[in-house]
Amino acid sequence: MANLPAGSLPSQLISAYSRIVVPLDPPFTPVTVCVQKYACQHPGYGGGQVERMAFKDRLLGAIGGGRGLSTNRLTASAFVGVFSGKGTMDEIATCLALAARHNIFHHRPHNLTFAESGLTLMQRLQKVADDYIGLDCNGFVGNWAIYNAISGASASHLPLDWIAGRTVRTTLATIAQYDIVAWANGNHIGMIETVGALGANATSMDVVLAESSSGGMLTHPGSRVTFNARAVPASRGPWQTHFSLQNDIHGNMPVMIASMAKTH
């Protein structure tokens, strides 16, 4: 892979997605594009999926459908994933290079509100990235796991799918760097970049949460995990949790916390 994070921290993955190198056909030289936005195919978690799919369909038609995907070493699922919040950096780079090659910069063939005039090719591709490409929460955690060679990693796992086969944390003292943080209701997932010391009363701990959500790909210093006396069951599966998490955008959400590495 040409595009790789500099290290294993989730923040380094965020940084790497902010400088994806896109190879272009001569006489153009490669350009760097920033992908930082949240993109989710579920209509309840942000809009834009209709437009992303329309852009995907235009691009697929321009490259010749399945034959074009094969020629460019893209599977159908990887191609769709780029426009559904799941793409790896190299998959995104390939799709942007194809958009440049075939002059596809908008989900509509003719759109007078899209001011192409005067934009450089890099600016046009950046607008494509801003309008049609990003990562959802599963895509963020899944791609981190893919780049770090975690067994069974996938950008398409649902949040609670990540809990199965892993060590579920039951005390604050066992929470560790890179742990998975899955909402008990199954609606969201992030991961822990760093852990702090236990609070004075040993019922809370400050962590840095890394995620892709409505604000984009971010880390949240000062995220607080609290141990609660009452257990909350997960919306599916046999698990329950005593943990809740809150920070600048999430308010006291019950969460499952588990090791990133699978135990069986």
Side-chain angles (χ1 to χ4, degrees):
M1 291 181 284
N3 290 282
L4 290 169
S8 61
L9 290 174
S11 59
Q12 291 173 310
L13 181 70
I14 294 172
S15 177
Y17 270 83
S18 75
R19 45 178 173 76
I20 296 175
V21 177
V22 180
L24 298 174
D25 297 334
F28 299 104
T29 57
V31 297
T32 301
V33 170
C34 174
V35 174
Q36 293 286 274
K37 292 194 172 183
Y38 176 72
C40 182
Q41 59 187 315
H42 193 289
Y45 299 96
Q49 187 63 7
V50 171
E51 292 79 8
R52 287 191 289 270
M53 290 296 98
F55 183 90
K56 179 263 298 179
D57 291 341
R58 279 203 72 207
L59 184 57
L60 183 62
I63 68 175
R67 180 174 296 180
L69 293 179
S70 179
T71 299
N72 291 282
R73 299 181 180 180
L74 282 170
T75 65
S77 61
F79 181 72
V80 173
V82 167
F83 305 102
S84 302
K86 312 295 185 185
T88 68
M89 288 181 280
D90 280 348
E91 289 163 354
I92 291 170
T94 298
C95 288
L96 289 173
L98 290 172
R101 179 181 300 165
H102 295 279
N103 202 38
I104 304 292
F105 300 110
H106 198 273
H107 67 279
R108 293 175 179 164
H110 302 287
N111 187 290
L112 298 178
T113 65
F114 180 55
E116 285 188 19
S117 178
L119 295 180
T120 66
L121 181 55
M122 182 169 71
Q123 288 171 327
R124 294 183 186 188
L125 291 176
Q126 183 60 61
K127 184 160 176 53
V128 170
D130 290 342
D131 290 348
Y132 306 115
I133 299 173
L135 289 184
D136 64 11
C137 62
N138 307 310
F140 177 76
V141 173
N143 275 296
W144 182 91
I146 289 168
Y147 284 113
N148 287 276
I150 300 298
S151 175
S154 169
S156 297
H157 288 331
L158 296 175
L160 290 174
D161 291 342
W162 286 92
I163 303 301
R166 291 174 163 85
T167 299
V168 176
R169 308 304 189 193
T170 57
T171 66
L172 290 167
T174 58
I175 295 173
Q177 186 179 42
Y178 307 134
D179 275 0
I180 294 160
V181 181
W183 270 221
N185 63 13
N187 287 346
H188 188 55
I189 189 169
M191 59 185 300
I192 292 176
E193 169 137 334
T194 58
V195 297
L198 283 171
N201 57 6
T203 61
S204 66
M205 170 188 285
D206 284 346
V207 303
V208 176
L209 181 75
E211 64 174 351
S212 185
S213 63
S214 56
M217 294 184 234
L218 297 168
T219 57
H220 299 277
S223 298
R224 177 155 295 181
V225 177
T226 300
F227 186 89
N228 305 291
R230 185 176 69 87
V232 173
S235 60
R236 62 182 176 85
W239 311 290
Q240 61 179 12
T241 182
H242 287 271
F243 297 129
S244 60
L245 179 138
Q246 59 183 347
N247 58 25
D248 54 332
I249 65 170
H250 301 300
N252 202 35
M253 298 300 298
V255 294
M256 303 290 308
I257 302 179
S259 63
M260 176 61 73
K262 295 192 76 170
T263 54
H264 58 275

